[in-house]
Amino acid sequence: MTLPGRTAYREELTSIAADNPRVLCLEADLGGRSHPFATAYPDRFFNVGIAEGAMVDMAAGLAAGGYQPFVSTFAPFAALRAAESLKLALGYLGAGITVVAPYAGVSGGWFGTTHHCLEDFAVVRAIPGVTIAAPYGEQEMRAVIRRAARTGTPHYVRTGRNAAPVSLPWQGTDPPVVNWDDAGARPDRTCLVSVGEVGTELCLAVRRADPGLAHAHLCFVDQPHLELAAAELAGRYDRFVVVEEHRPAGSVGSALALLLSGRVVRSVNAGEGWPSRGGSHEQVLDQLGLNEAAVWEALAPWEERPLGAGAEMGTGNGTGKGKST
Amino acid sequence: MTATVTEAGPHGVGGAVAERPAPHQTLPDVLRERALTARRMVIDMAASPTGCHLGGSLSAMDILIAALDRTASSDDGSQVVLSKGHAAAGLYAALYVTGILPEDPVPHYGAPTHHFTGHPGPAVPGVRFPTGSLGHGVPYALGWALSRRLSGSGGLGIAVAGDGELQEGLVWETCQVAAAQQVGNLVLFVDRNGGQNDGLVADISPQPRLAERFEAFGFEVREADGHDVAALRELLEPDRSAATRPLAIIADTVKGKGLRPVEGKAASHYVTIDAARATSWKRIVR
């Protein structure tokens, strides 16, 4: 049994707070009625209400006063509504604030476009000094939160709603710059690069269908981490397909395309459409055309799709179109 | 109440060095002397190549002098945040005459060699938060006040906002949080000078019954003469460590205060003058 990212965050932070009295937990009315931190440390838990911008700015004041604030609200409200506060507090001030942002991508499914966030990498990656993580599974989330608490530096942590995948294994304390999943892969073939829960899920599915393809999983996607990742990727492969639940503009794929000069980089992303219908997370992804079929389409110039691979993943004929660019 | 007496810089009338306040002076005398010296410095910054936000710097000056003296004369960790960051020239001058900023900002205001930018940032000694995008200073001060409460100190988080700035929703979002969290050591000054960039607050977006608004949010409210520096300082003296309601001080001020040619005039919002006019204005400023 593994926990969804946002649940793992709450539990890990509560655990850290036992030994670190400077850790504070702030929520903006979306932390749930039985937050474990609130139960364990009510004096250090603040539900500020529906006030995302004020929450991040307040966190800057708390950080300046010697505390380590962890703030959380849904990704669209954290990255877009409070964008200026992120710029000033996490970027310009370099305040040791961690922002944990569930409901990223279209994991809100039928909640609709106001509750989707396909733009957060573009916004937050443009703010220097912020470590950006998109952990895959409980163990990665816990490790990222421990890293944020240990370093006391600005972090933005993107996660989904209720998905609870099993993290890929790694050695060491922090998730590596590149977590290689390429045992049995051939160096002359294409390397899948996965970002976030959906990107990683799709890459794992493709690799299950064709184990000869390599897979490189990225947990950290801020510019310094991507520069390190690009050097490592270029050392092993020449062609890459980057898969992520984000718009093409400001995507990890677009950043890697610039960093991997001379290599071939294609991006599978959520395109530029606005999903107008309801449905589950997977169904809304289908409306955007972000599914296994789109990954195979991106691989098509070089890789043969095994018979039946990705057939169950939908048609990708919705309002948007997951793009290989 | 004890006075922190500091050397004033070369900003007396006509460039003469201001007198160091005599030991027998009362704190109100000292604060008024600081405010006058700082106003002359602001006039000098208006005479820099960039000019400055003159009217708002002068209207906020007595508030800043009182608030900064509160922080400088206590070791309780109180902090002042100039939320109306466009009054940076006023802040730099006030920090200097209070003895918090060691370097005279006048020769370096707006210069590429120094951090004295048109809106203040944390590279300037005495400035903890970047302000200028209006509204943010109030939640910074709230967070600071909460940190003082959590650490058991009686320190204040003091925000100085403009009345035009109250048009930003972030201010009221923050007031809601401050009252709900019962952060009684937050003090929000409103520099009610009645002006904003494009004209008068009353014409653009009026604020009727402002005191009642703050009271309705759960604040304690005081209305004060924003140029009675001694009275403003007194309002900051009581221990607020056990207070459960944040304090709003609505300070009635005059844009361009102290400089009769510009007092109350919307055109004083941003001013660039030449050296001769600066000399003339420094003679008459009060």
Side-chain angles (χ1 to χ4, degrees):
Chain A
M1 183 68 176
T2 183
L3 296 174
R6 55 180 174 155
T7 310
Y9 153 63
R10 291 170 191 160
E11 296 214 348
E12 187 60 36
L13 188 66
T14 306
S15 170
I16 290 168
D19 298 320
N20 186 343
R22 313 306 286 179
V23 164
L24 307 177
C25 180
L26 283 75
E27 290 276 353
D29 195 46
L30 293 171
R33 291 180 184 152
S34 55
H35 198 300
F37 197 106
T39 305
Y41 307 105
D43 293 343
R44 288 192 274 154
F45 177 86
F46 303 95
N47 184 348
V48 301
I50 306 159
E52 297 82 5
M55 176 170 68
V56 177
D57 286 338
M58 274 178 69
L62 289 162
Y67 290 90
Q68 278 189 276
F70 283 68
V71 309
S72 183
T73 186
F74 290 179
F77 317 137
L80 299 174
R81 184 181 284 252
E84 190 185 38
S85 297
L86 297 183
K87 167 194 158 186
L88 295 174
L90 278 72
Y92 186 31
L93 274 175
I97 300 167
T98 297
V99 177
V100 178
Y103 272 65
V106 293
S107 59
W110 68 92
F111 283 109
T113 299
T114 56
H115 283 52
H116 297 160
C117 188
L118 293 163
E119 302 84 11
D120 55 343
F121 287 159
V123 172
V124 188
R125 276 182 37 75
I127 301 172
V130 183
T131 298
I132 304 170
Y136 179 74
E138 177 183 348
Q139 296 311 314
E140 270 196 11
M141 173 60 87
R142 288 182 182 274
V144 166
I145 297 304
R146 287 195 296 269
R147 180 189 196 274
R150 186 182 74 245
T151 63
T153 55
H155 281 65
Y156 175 85
V157 185
R158 168 196 241 232
T159 188
R161 184 167 173 260
N162 288 331
V166 177
S167 300
L168 278 65
W170 76 87
Q171 300 289 323
T173 304
D174 296 334
V177 170
V178 179
N179 194 351
W180 287 104
D181 169 35
D182 64 346
R186 284 179 19 206
D188 61 334
R189 295 194 64 190
T190 308
C191 177
L192 299 159
V193 179
S194 69
V195 175
E197 292 172 357
V198 166
T200 308
E201 205 68 34
L202 291 174
C203 288
L204 289 172
V206 168
R207 188 162 143 73
R208 276 195 298 274
D210 184 350
L213 290 167
H215 171 209
H217 169 66
L218 308 184
C219 178
F220 298 105
V221 298
D222 50 85
Q223 190 68 11
H225 274 99
L226 286 192
E227 289 174 7
L228 295 171
E232 200 171 324
L233 292 169
R236 291 205 197 187
Y237 297 95
D238 292 325
R239 292 190 308 271
F240 304 92
V241 169
V242 185
V243 187
E244 62 196 305
E245 189 182 13
H246 194 273
R247 302 279 186 208
S251 63
V252 173
S254 63
L256 285 175
L258 285 172
L259 292 168
L260 287 163
S261 176
R263 305 300 204 279
V264 176
V265 180
R266 303 195 89 191
S267 170
V268 177
N269 54 64
E272 298 194 323
W274 301 100
S276 57
R277 301 191 297 272
S280 67
H281 185 187
E282 289 72 20
Q283 288 167 324
V284 177
L285 287 170
D286 253 355
Q287 292 180 43
L288 292 165
L290 180 56
N291 49 35
E292 189 180 332
V295 182
W296 284 112
E297 185 182 334
L299 289 165
W302 314 290
E303 312 293 348
E304 190 172 342
R305 178 176 174 168
L307 199 60
E312 75 283 5
M313 295 297 290
T315 58
N317 61 352
T319 56
K321 189 165 173 58
K323 275 302 190 192
S324 350
T325 48
Chain B
M1 196 187 308
T2 55
T4 302
V5 179
T6 57
E7 290 284 358
H11 300 290
V13 176
V17 176
E19 291 294 319
R20 179 187 173 91
H24 64 272
Q25 281 186 302
T26 63
L27 178 63
D29 290 338
V30 171
L31 298 181
R32 281 190 285 270
E33 185 75 27
R34 284 182 197 163
L36 180 59
T37 304
R39 283 192 162 89
R40 290 185 178 126
M41 294 173 68
V42 171
I43 292 169
D44 278 332
M45 285 185 261
S48 71
T50 60
C52 75
H53 283 91
L54 180 70
S57 290
L58 295 180
S59 71
M61 185 57 72
D62 298 297
I63 299 169
L64 288 170
I65 293 292
L68 289 171
D69 184 70
R70 169 66 178 77
T71 66
S73 60
S74 166
D75 58 0
D76 64 1
S78 293
Q79 187 75 226
V80 178
V81 185
L82 176 67
S83 195
K84 48 172 286 184
H86 53 282
L91 176 65
Y92 301 150
L95 285 167
Y96 180 67
V97 300
T98 307
I100 297 169
L101 178 62
E103 186 176 28
D104 183 350
V106 169
H108 312 297
Y109 179 76
T113 51
H114 282 70
H115 301 298
F116 302 117
T117 48
H119 298 85
V124 175
V127 176
R128 295 297 292 263
F129 304 103
T131 56
S133 176
L134 293 171
H136 291 282
V138 185
Y140 289 149
L142 170 58
W144 180 267
L146 184 54
S147 81
R148 295 306 84 201
R149 191 178 82 181
L150 290 169
S151 64
S153 107
L156 303 174
I158 304 171
V160 179
D163 52 349
E165 182 178 7
L166 300 184
Q167 291 157 13
E168 286 284 3
L170 180 56
V171 173
W172 299 103
E173 183 176 313
T174 303
C175 288
Q176 180 73 27
V177 177
Q181 297 292 335
Q182 301 186 336
V183 185
N185 56 332
L186 170 70
V187 177
L188 170 56
F189 274 106
V190 178
D191 171 16
R192 186 158 64 178
N193 65 24
Q196 58 187 104
N197 191 69
D198 284 356
L200 297 177
V201 172
D203 292 337
I204 294 167
S205 185
Q207 297 165 350
R209 299 191 294 174
L210 187 58
E212 290 176 55
R213 290 195 201 184
F214 279 110
E215 282 167 0
F217 268 80
F219 277 56
E220 286 179 41
V221 181
R222 301 282 185 278
E223 293 186 86
D225 174 352
H227 298 304
D228 185 342
V229 67
L232 296 172
R233 180 66 183 83
E234 283 290 338
L235 288 173
L236 298 174
E237 199 56 19
D239 178 7
R240 297 195 61 80
S241 55
T244 55
R245 290 199 296 161
L247 173 63
I249 301 174
I250 302 173
D252 284 311
T253 61
V254 175
K255 199 154 184 167
K257 173 65 180 180
L259 196 53
R260 194 175 294 277
V262 303
E263 276 187 358
K265 293 181 178 172
S268 72
H269 188 77
Y270 199 97
V271 170
T272 306
I273 57 175
D274 58 23
R277 176 155 298 186
T279 300
S280 160
W281 280 4
K282 284 196 291 181
R283 284 199 186 96
I284 62 171
V285 70
R286 57 199 162 79

